[in-house]
Amino acid sequence: MDFLPQFGSFAFTMLAFIAAISIIVAIHEYGHYIVGRWSGIRADVFSIGFGPVLLSRKDRRGTQWQIAALPFGGYVKFAGDANAASVGADAAVTPARNTMHGAPLWARAATVVAGPLFNFILSIAIFAGVVLVSGQATDEPRVGAPRDLPPVYQSLEAGDLILALEGQEIESFAALLQIASDLPPRPRVSYEVLRDDRAILVEASAPLPPVVDGVQPQSAAMEAGLREGDVILAVNGADIWSFSQLRAAVDQAEGAPIDLTLWRANGTQEGQEIAVTLSPRRTDLPVASGGFETRYLIGVTGGMLFVPQTEAVGPLAALSYGVSQTGFIITSSLSGLWHMITGAISTCNLQGPVGIAETSGAAAAQGIASFIWLIAVLSTAVGLMNLFPIPILDGGHLMLYAFEAVAGRKPPEMFMRVFMTVGLTLIMGLMVFAVFNDVLLCP
């Protein structure tokens, strides 16, 4: 079910982008605010957005909470700050203990690092929550439910425990996937299953048919109108029976247009065959061993012949998954940035505001679950970016605090001004390049 029906409109894309950014910024700035408060630093203003104030209220601690007209960021202005970026002290305010510039070094450092940390916590919480709600596939190869497939496909029954595939014994779900991926494509394969406490032989379609389990935002498949649940019946007029055949056809095309015949599982065209043409796109993908590989992709992930049986996940396992998923995004982002700097991969992998807005709109159009997942990914990216040692960003402040910790004094005022000017120039230059990248180089 679509999250909002107006997908494709500029207003919808902007609404999704603003919603995602506002949530991420609110969490980031709340991290600064709450840890600053716990550390004895008073906040004068907590703002979502910049510019003219639309709504505001002042709490009993004297902090003004507000929503401003330009919803593309936010800030916390602490007592004694000369501006919203906490760059320089207000000359009219004595740097007392409850001001940002009069607080101990540990309090200032903790307050600054809390913003990115809260972004990571948000990501971990979302990833963990998704696993808690949806569960995970059991280790035993048991059918949870048949998938909605075209009549030409023959599935298994709910509750079937797969004992063997094409005569090869199956001991686990991972073993089923491995054996299934090695099978040559064919319309039918042989299963030995345990059904109603009896081991029987049945014939059904291969475990990994060319079914679309997910469509990536801003992909060729998304633009061509592919949906989750679609089944690819033919590529360039040739029938296919496995997802590996689709992958091979896309690789061989090397970016040339390919014709797909789809069977639609849901929507107004449910049960109908649809013809689409799309062009695979050059994509740099992270590999498990580190680095990247370049492939041509249409932007779909494959699914199984059936929905696997799932089991509930405990809080600790869910938390572990959330941490590992967040860690993977961080490490792959750093690797990607390094490979772009060295020229190993294209700078088209860097998205600016336009690209992020389009991705937000596409994710929201796919459903609330996809949109929430994107928020988790973007939250990790925002937290990581803010830790870069660039003036103006949180990492730049932490670098100055490190200097103060080592030297025993704050950097000279002249150095601070030059340092922050350089940082602002870098940020503005990166922003201009990102927009230019989105609009002209990699539209």
Side-chain angles (χ1 to χ4, degrees), residues 200-414:
I200 61 173
L201 290 175
V202 297
E203 279 198 349
S205 299
L208 300 174
V211 60
V212 176
D213 205 42
V215 181
Q216 297 175 2
Q218 287 189 286
S219 64
M222 168 71 73
E223 292 186 3
L226 272 68
R227 301 178 184 174
E228 180 181 347
D230 284 349
V231 180
I232 315 297
L233 300 178
V235 179
N236 292 330
D239 292 342
I240 63 171
W241 303 101
S242 73
F243 195 81
S244 62
Q245 290 176 286
L246 172 64
R247 185 184 299 115
V250 170
D251 286 341
Q252 292 170 7
E254 295 186 338
I258 57 175
D259 298 321
L260 302 181
T261 303
L262 316 174
W263 180 87
R264 179 127 296 166
N266 50 62
T268 56
Q269 298 172 301
E270 181 176 346
Q272 297 181 23
E273 292 188 11
I274 303 168
V276 300
T277 300
L278 48 75
S279 298
R281 296 177 180 174
R282 186 179 185 275
T283 308
D284 298 308
L285 297 173
V287 295
S289 58
F292 287 77
E293 66 173 355
T294 299
R295 291 177 52 194
Y296 283 91
L297 303 175
I298 62 173
V300 298
T301 54
M304 297 193 69
L305 176 67
F306 54 85
V307 178
Q309 182 169 283
T310 59
E311 61 183 357
V313 176
L316 289 180
L319 179 62
S320 175
Y321 174 80
V323 171
S324 65
Q325 186 68 28
T326 303
F328 171 76
I329 295 171
I330 291 173
T331 54
S332 59
S333 297
L334 291 174
S335 176
L337 180 62
W338 172 251
H339 282 77
M340 279 188 280
I341 292 173
T342 58
I345 62 175
S346 170
T347 56
C348 288
N349 291 280
L350 176 67
Q351 279 195 328
V354 176
I356 294 173
E358 291 175 347
T359 302
S360 300
Q366 287 187 313
I368 187 67
S370 178
F371 184 62
I372 291 175
W373 188 272
L374 177 67
I375 288 176
V377 174
L378 291 179
S379 184
T380 301
V382 168
L384 176 62
M385 183 187 70
N386 271 277
L387 286 177
F388 288 165
I390 298 174
I392 302 296
L393 298 180
D394 294 329
H397 289 287
L398 292 173
M399 190 162 58
L400 293 176
Y401 295 157
F403 172 89
E404 184 178 344
V406 173
R409 59 182 176 82
K410 294 182 179 181
E413 190 65 29
M414 178 61 72

Side-chain angles (χ1 to χ4, degrees), residues 54-331:
L54 303 178
L55 297 171
S56 69
R57 74 171 184 85
K58 184 168 289 189
D59 65 18
R60 58 186 178 85
R61 293 184 178 86
T63 301
Q64 177 172 304
W65 299 75
Q66 65 184 38
I67 297 176
L70 302 176
F72 301 109
Y75 62 90
V76 176
K77 184 176 182 297
F78 290 102
D81 286 349
N83 49 56
S86 295
V87 178
D90 187 344
V93 177
T94 302
R97 171 62 181 82
N98 68 345
T99 66
M100 188 63 168
H101 296 272
L105 179 60
W106 68 265
R108 286 177 277 142
T111 299
V112 168
V113 80
L117 180 61
F118 269 52
N119 282 132
F120 298 146
I121 291 173
L122 173 62
S123 298
I124 293 169
I126 290 176
F127 293 137
V130 169
V131 172
L132 279 173
V133 171
S134 61
Q136 64 181 8
T138 62
D139 190 49
E140 67 174 8
R142 188 179 294 275
V143 178
R147 190 184 289 272
D148 189 12
L149 296 170
V152 69
Y153 282 87
Q154 182 179 349
S155 189
L156 302 174
E157 294 185 6
D160 282 350
L161 177 64
I162 302 174
L163 303 176
L165 176 62
E166 287 291 286
Q168 301 183 65
E169 186 177 348
I170 303 294
E171 297 181 349
S172 66
F173 188 78
L176 171 64
L177 292 177
Q178 181 60 54
I179 294 173
S181 64
D182 293 337
L183 288 178
R186 64 187 71 170
R188 297 281 185 274
V189 295
S190 169
Y191 295 84
E192 181 183 358
V193 301
L194 186 65
R195 180 183 297 171
D196 299 328
D197 297 326
R198 289 191 308 115
I200 61 173
L201 290 175
V202 297
E203 279 198 349
S205 299
L208 300 174
V211 60
V212 176
D213 205 42
V215 181
Q216 297 175 2
Q218 287 189 286
S219 64
M222 168 71 73
E223 292 186 3
L226 272 68
R227 301 178 184 174
E228 180 181 347
D230 284 349
V231 180
I232 315 297
L233 300 178
V235 179
N236 292 330
D239 292 342
I240 63 171
W241 303 101
S242 73
F243 195 81
S244 62
Q245 290 176 286
L246 172 64
R247 185 184 299 115
V250 170
D251 286 341
Q252 292 170 7
E254 295 186 338
I258 57 175
D259 298 321
L260 302 181
T261 303
L262 316 174
W263 180 87
R264 179 127 296 166
N266 50 62
T268 56
Q269 298 172 301
E270 181 176 346
Q272 297 181 23
E273 292 188 11
I274 303 168
V276 300
T277 300
L278 48 75
S279 298
R281 296 177 180 174
R282 186 179 185 275
T283 308
D284 298 308
L285 297 173
V287 295
S289 58
F292 287 77
E293 66 173 355
T294 299
R295 291 177 52 194
Y296 283 91
L297 303 175
I298 62 173
V300 298
T301 54
M304 297 193 69
L305 176 67
F306 54 85
V307 178
Q309 182 169 283
T310 59
E311 61 183 357
V313 176
L316 289 180
L319 179 62
S320 175
Y321 174 80
V323 171
S324 65
Q325 186 68 28
T326 303
F328 171 76
I329 295 171
I330 291 173
T331 54

